[in-house]
Amino acid sequence: MKDWFSSWFDTKYYHILYKNRDFSEAEIFISNLIDKLDISKHKHILDLACGKGRHSIFLNQLGYTVDGCDLSKQSIAYAKQFENDKLHFFVHDMREPISNKSYDYVFNLFTSLGYFDEKEDNIKMLKSVDSYTANDGVLVIDFMNANKVIKNLVKTESKIVDGITFNITRKVIDGFIIKNIKFDDDGESFEFEERVQAILLKDFDNYIAQTNFSIVKVFGNYNLDTFDAENSDRLIIFAKKNNKN
Ligand SMILES: C[S@@+](CC[C@H](N)C(=O)[O-])C[C@H]1O[C@@H](n2cnc3c(N)ncnc32)[C@H](O)[C@@H]1O
């Protein structure tokens, strides 16, 4: 059986349900990241788990050299229409190294990890990122603030998007936030599940300590305001690579 994240993210329905996570949101966030990190134009950026490439495309429009990669073949096939000399997309599992590449910045945006049943896979993923990040390079992780999500868990919800009614339920089991998504389309019934590990700042601290990265800053939203575990919507981590050996 395929992992849930290999199938659900590869469907058109994932993109319909999350269509509010669009280019304008990506542009605001990327502009704030560029300002805060003061990234010069010759730097090489990887958008890790890029989906259809909304952040990569905007970074490239700003003049950066960008690679975007994702496990979803459908999303990469879509993103490829935007390729140019300084923008490339490829299918890649983020747990694996990328050979013959070195990036100055690696962005993992909009809750694009925490999917693996085995927590060791989070460390495997971070060690892989470590292997292709230049010394002094920076990893940016934009994750949900799991603390707030769990405290304010919306147990049931119905959302109508593009004429499809998505019936959603949420529960927390063994440290994973499990979202069940049911809907009908074209006379067919569908059911998908998202299982995202509720990774807290202290867990990231622990995982990142096992690599050559160290957390240098933490923010709580796309305006990059201070992180507050109770109230922030996001947990946005800047981690800098500094070879420890
Ligand atoms: C919530 S989406 C975010 C996509 C994109 N970063 C954005 O903001 O639009 C998570 C993405 O992670 C990708 N993904 C899931 N597991 C992956 C893996 N093992 N390796 C690489 N990408 C993966 C999915 O295919 C999906 O595109």
Side-chain angles (χ1 to χ4, degrees), residues 40-72:
S40 57
K41 283 280 151 58
H42 68 278
K43 296 293 184 185
H44 201 168
I45 303 174
L46 175 69
D47 183 4
L48 182 64
C50 64
K52 285 180 166 177
R54 60 190 177 131
H55 299 98
S56 310
I57 293 163
F58 184 58
L59 280 162
N60 174 252
Q61 284 167 358
L62 295 175
Y64 292 99
T65 303
V66 186
D67 283 352
C69 65
D70 198 283
L71 191 63
S72 161

Side-chain angles (χ1 to χ4, degrees), residues 5 9-10 14 21 47-52 54-55 69-72 75 92-95 109-112 115-116:
F5 50 87
F9 290 125
D10 212 33
Y14 159 72
R21 302 306 199 161
D47 183 4
L48 182 64
C50 64
K52 285 180 166 177
R54 60 190 177 131
H55 299 98
C69 65
D70 198 283
L71 191 63
S72 161
S75 293
H92 172 72
D93 185 324
M94 62 185 155
R95 287 166 289 188
L109 307 180
F110 185 41
T111 316
S112 292
Y115 304 148
F116 313 122

Side-chain angles (χ1 to χ4, degrees), residues 7-198:
S7 21
W8 167 233
F9 290 125
D10 212 33
T11 67
K12 66 175 182 183
Y13 298 111
Y14 159 72
H15 295 284
I16 294 173
L17 180 59
Y18 288 94
K19 81 189 283 192
N20 61 327
R21 302 306 199 161
D22 58 7
F23 275 88
S24 55
E25 181 192 67
E27 290 182 14
I28 293 167
F29 185 31
I30 288 296
S31 302
N32 292 336
L33 282 179
I34 302 280
D35 270 4
K36 191 67 91 182
L37 289 162
D38 195 18
I39 307 180
S40 57
K41 283 280 151 58
H42 68 278
K43 296 293 184 185
H44 201 168
I45 303 174
L46 175 69
D47 183 4
L48 182 64
C50 64
K52 285 180 166 177
R54 60 190 177 131
H55 299 98
S56 310
I57 293 163
F58 184 58
L59 280 162
N60 174 252
Q61 284 167 358
L62 295 175
Y64 292 99
T65 303
V66 186
D67 283 352
C69 65
D70 198 283
L71 191 63
S72 161
K73 292 193 178 94
Q74 298 292 341
S75 293
I76 292 299
Y78 175 89
K80 272 186 171 290
Q81 67 184 297
F82 301 98
E83 282 190 333
N84 58 45
D85 283 357
K86 293 173 83 177
L87 177 64
H88 295 98
F89 292 101
F90 54 94
V91 174
H92 172 72
D93 185 324
M94 62 185 155
R95 287 166 289 188
E96 303 303 326
I98 301 175
S99 45
N100 305 319
K101 291 276 189 183
S102 172
Y103 297 98
D104 303 298
Y105 292 86
V106 177
F107 292 173
N108 180 265
L109 307 180
F110 185 41
T111 316
S112 292
L113 75 165
Y115 304 148
F116 313 122
D117 284 340
E118 302 303 327
K119 294 182 183 161
E120 286 67 35
D121 276 350
N122 296 327
I123 297 162
K124 189 174 177 198
M125 175 251 175
L126 289 167
K127 285 191 170 164
S128 296
V129 175
D130 191 349
S131 72
Y132 51 71
T133 302
N135 206 20
D136 288 329
V138 175
L139 165 66
V140 174
I141 296 174
D142 157 35
F143 201 66
M144 63 178 157
N145 177 5
N147 195 43
K148 182 172 172 186
V149 173
I150 291 175
K151 275 206 178 123
N152 302 285
L153 197 72
V154 180
K155 292 198 173 132
T156 60
E157 186 187 7
S158 273
K159 263 190 185 177
I160 303 175
V161 192
D162 288 0
I164 301 173
T165 304
F166 293 92
N167 295 304
I168 299 169
T169 60
R170 292 181 186 82
K171 59 191 174 185
V172 181
I173 298 181
D174 293 337
F176 281 78
I177 298 168
I178 300 172
K179 185 166 167 180
N180 180 278
I181 304 156
K182 283 186 184 163
F183 54 91
D184 293 335
D185 186 40
D186 258 346
E188 222 184 308
S189 296
F190 295 89
E191 182 169 356
F192 290 96
E193 198 171 77
E194 288 179 10
R195 294 171 51 83
V196 184
Q197 191 192 335

